[in-house]
């Protein structure tokens, strides 16, 4: 199954049930509608076997770093789950009894800064109502450092770590690989 599973895995299952499964199923340019993604079946997990649980808020990244597979798989248009859908996933996770670290597995949490900004206040409200059961981590592009408001909002809801792809401290290399957003100010200053 090549590409996003929601697109072509149903085709595979149908053919498999009919005894006509092919070797390859490819999504091609078709992209999943993340607003239709069902809530993960968190109750199937044995939480004692995990360091943390992951949820996905969005797919895609607006940048065009030449070495990145994310834009090839998920595209450069960030597709975002609506805030109520994200809160419903957290509520379901909470209802299973899980407490602890939640990694927002987006490849670039700020790929759509407007969506990230919209999520944080709702997340804060939900966390306050539930006595802060989760802390968070995620991945984001280094230009997050240029947005004090967004950083403050993330800190206020319990983000304890952000994975940042630096790839190289050499500006010429970053420019050559289309990662110019890492050259807007010194990397050490951003970190």
């Amino acid at each position: 199954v090549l590409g996003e599973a929601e697109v072509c895995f149903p085709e595979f299952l149908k053919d498999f049930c009919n005894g006509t499964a092919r070797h390859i199923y490819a999504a091609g340019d078709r992209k999943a509608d993340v607003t239709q993604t069902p809530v993960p079946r968190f109750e199937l997990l044995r939480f004692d076997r995990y360091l943390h649980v992951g949820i996905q808020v969005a797919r895609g990244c607006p940048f065009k770093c030449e070495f990145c597979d994310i834009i090839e798989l998920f595209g450069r248009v960030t597709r975002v789950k609506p805030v109520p859908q994200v809160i419903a996933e957290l509520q379901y996770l909470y209802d299973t009894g899980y407490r602890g670290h939640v990694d927002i597995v987006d490849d670039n949490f700020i790929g759509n800064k407007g969506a990230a900004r919209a999520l944080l206040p709702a997340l804060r409200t939900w966390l306050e109502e539930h006595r802060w059961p989760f802390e968070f981590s995620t991945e984001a592009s280094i230009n997050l450092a240029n947005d004090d408001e967004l950083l403050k909002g993330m800190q206020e809801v319990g983000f304890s770590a952000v994975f940042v792809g630096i790839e190289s401290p050499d500006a010429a290399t970053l420019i050559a690989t289309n990662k110019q957003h890492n050259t807007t100010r010194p990397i050490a200053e951003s970190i």
Side-chain angles (χ1 to χ4, degrees):
V1 174
L2 306 173
E4 295 183 63
E6 296 97 327
V7 175
C8 49
F9 199 65
E11 298 168 11
F12 162 74
L13 290 176
K14 179 181 173 192
D15 290 350
F16 181 79
C17 289
N18 291 330
T20 59
R22 301 184 313 266
H23 290 282
I24 296 176
Y25 289 79
D29 291 335
R30 298 176 293 164
K31 302 293 181 201
D33 179 355
V34 297
T35 67
Q36 300 302 308
T37 302
V39 173
R41 298 282 311 273
F42 293 121
E43 79 278 5
L44 299 176
L45 299 177
R46 293 186 52 189
F47 295 122
D48 62 331
R49 294 186 176 188
Y50 294 87
L51 293 175
H52 63 272
V53 175
I55 67 164
Q56 185 176 61
V57 174
R59 289 186 195 167
C61 181
F63 297 117
K64 53 184 176 184
C65 308
E66 75 168 22
F67 51 82
C68 187
D69 63 337
I70 296 309
I71 58 175
E72 295 301 321
L73 180 60
F74 295 136
R76 290 189 55 223
V77 175
T78 305
R79 292 167 285 138
V80 182
K81 293 177 182 176
V83 170
Q85 183 178 357
V86 175
I87 298 298
E89 288 186 18
L90 290 171
Q91 182 65 50
Y92 190 72
L93 181 59
Y94 177 87
D95 290 345
T96 66
Y98 180 77
R99 303 295 182 270
H101 190 107
V102 175
D103 185 47
I104 297 180
V105 299
D106 301 11
D107 295 291
N108 189 354
F109 179 69
I110 63 165
N112 180 325
K113 281 188 174 184
R117 280 191 186 93
L119 174 61
L120 294 174
L123 185 54
R124 183 180 175 110
T125 298
W126 185 88
L127 288 163
E128 288 171 346
E129 292 170 355
H130 293 81
R131 299 180 144 185
W132 300 89
F134 305 135
E135 68 173 0
F136 299 95
S137 62
T138 195
E139 295 180 39
S141 47
I142 202 164
N143 59 321
L144 171 61
N146 300 333
D147 194 325
D148 290 337
E149 178 187 335
L150 193 50
L151 277 168
K152 185 176 188 293
M154 290 172 69
Q155 181 184 26
E156 288 176 351
V157 298
F159 277 84
S160 60
V162 177
F163 176 86
V164 176
I166 294 172
E167 283 72 45
S168 174
D170 181 62
T173 299
L174 294 168
I175 291 168
T177 59
N178 288 324
K179 195 160 178 124
Q180 290 89 337
H181 54 279
N182 277 29
T183 65
T184 60
R185 69 182 195 188
I187 290 174
E189 182 183 320
S190 294
I191 295 300

